[in-house]
Amino acid sequence: RGPSWCFVELGRAIERSVATSQLLLCADLRRAPTPAAILKVIVELLDVQMTYRFRYRDQLQRNAVLDLGITDESNPRSLAFQAKRLTMQIARLPVIDTDPLPAAEERLAMKCAHDIRMLDSDALTAASAAAVVAALEGMRDGAEQLASALTRKFLVHSGTLRRIVGSSGGRP
């Protein structure tokens, strides 16, 4: 598959990253304890009901829901999976410049992945909700910045803007 497929996959991963991050941020994770109704909605919206029941039985727990939604790299709906997918697809894009340092889009994807991977089971507790919120905001903002960086580098093909001067002596 060529570069076009990479852009399709990148777009899907960026959209899912932003949507999942925003969903979890709207759940108001700073509130302790997190109401069971909110946890149930998160599990349903992330479409991980079967995985949750298989791993954790039927009792909803905040740590388990956040584990499936954020840090589980084997779950295609999680942010960790999306961050991994972003870095893989960025690495497959065509190289435009010869700079030996990582390009802006590579750095953004690595930062998103780093923010999510640095969360551990202790960070998913209600006591350290600030770390989770910071990681979610970092992932959301990083994915949006990545989309902008990719657009500027690969998709905008216009040159510098010039004013078109008509035959009326330079007046528009």
Side-chain angles (χ1 to χ4, degrees), residues 30-60:
R30 292 184 178 128
R31 189 167 44 164
T34 305
I38 290 178
L39 295 176
K40 183 178 180 184
V41 168
I42 291 171
V43 167
E44 288 178 11
L45 289 174
L46 293 179
D47 195 25
V48 293
Q49 300 96 324
M50 291 179 65
T51 306
Y52 188 89
R53 276 189 229 126
F54 178 75
R55 286 190 191 171
Y56 305 107
R57 304 291 177 217
D58 204 24
Q59 185 179 14
L60 287 173

Side-chain angles (χ1 to χ4, degrees), residues 21-40:
S21 298
Q22 194 60 39
L23 166 72
L24 293 171
L25 285 168
C26 288
D28 193 18
L29 298 172
R30 292 184 178 128
R31 189 167 44 164
T34 305
I38 290 178
L39 295 176
K40 183 178 180 184

Side-chain angles (χ1 to χ4, degrees), residues 38-147:
I38 290 178
L39 295 176
K40 183 178 180 184
V41 168
I42 291 171
V43 167
E44 288 178 11
L45 289 174
L46 293 179
D47 195 25
V48 293
Q49 300 96 324
M50 291 179 65
T51 306
Y52 188 89
R53 276 189 229 126
F54 178 75
R55 286 190 191 171
Y56 305 107
R57 304 291 177 217
D58 204 24
Q59 185 179 14
L60 287 173
Q61 299 174 359
R62 182 182 192 275
N63 292 7
V65 171
L66 293 181
D67 174 47
L68 276 178
I70 299 174
T71 61
D72 184 12
E73 286 190 13
S74 65
N75 175 17
R77 307 282 188 191
S78 76
L79 290 174
F81 185 90
Q82 299 307 318
K84 184 177 175 183
R85 199 165 142 202
L86 285 171
T87 55
M88 283 179 17
Q89 294 301 331
I90 294 273
R92 292 181 179 160
L93 287 176
V95 177
I96 292 180
D97 53 4
T98 58
D99 190 7
L101 297 175
E105 64 274 5
E106 290 176 288
R107 289 192 309 274
L108 286 167
M110 288 188 293
K111 184 186 178 312
C112 289
H114 176 76
D115 289 346
I116 297 301
R117 286 185 181 144
M118 289 298 106
L119 291 175
D120 57 1
S121 59
D122 293 336
L124 299 180
T125 62
S128 59
V132 173
V133 169
L136 291 172
E137 288 173 346
M139 182 69 173
R140 181 196 59 202
D141 297 343
E144 289 172 349
Q145 291 170 4
L146 177 61

Side-chain angles (χ1 to χ4, degrees), residues 3-4 7 96 146-158:
S4 300
F7 284 110
I96 292 180
L146 177 61
S148 296
L150 289 169
T151 300
R152 280 191 308 272
K153 185 171 183 176
F154 292 101
L155 303 176
V156 176
H157 298 291
S158 62

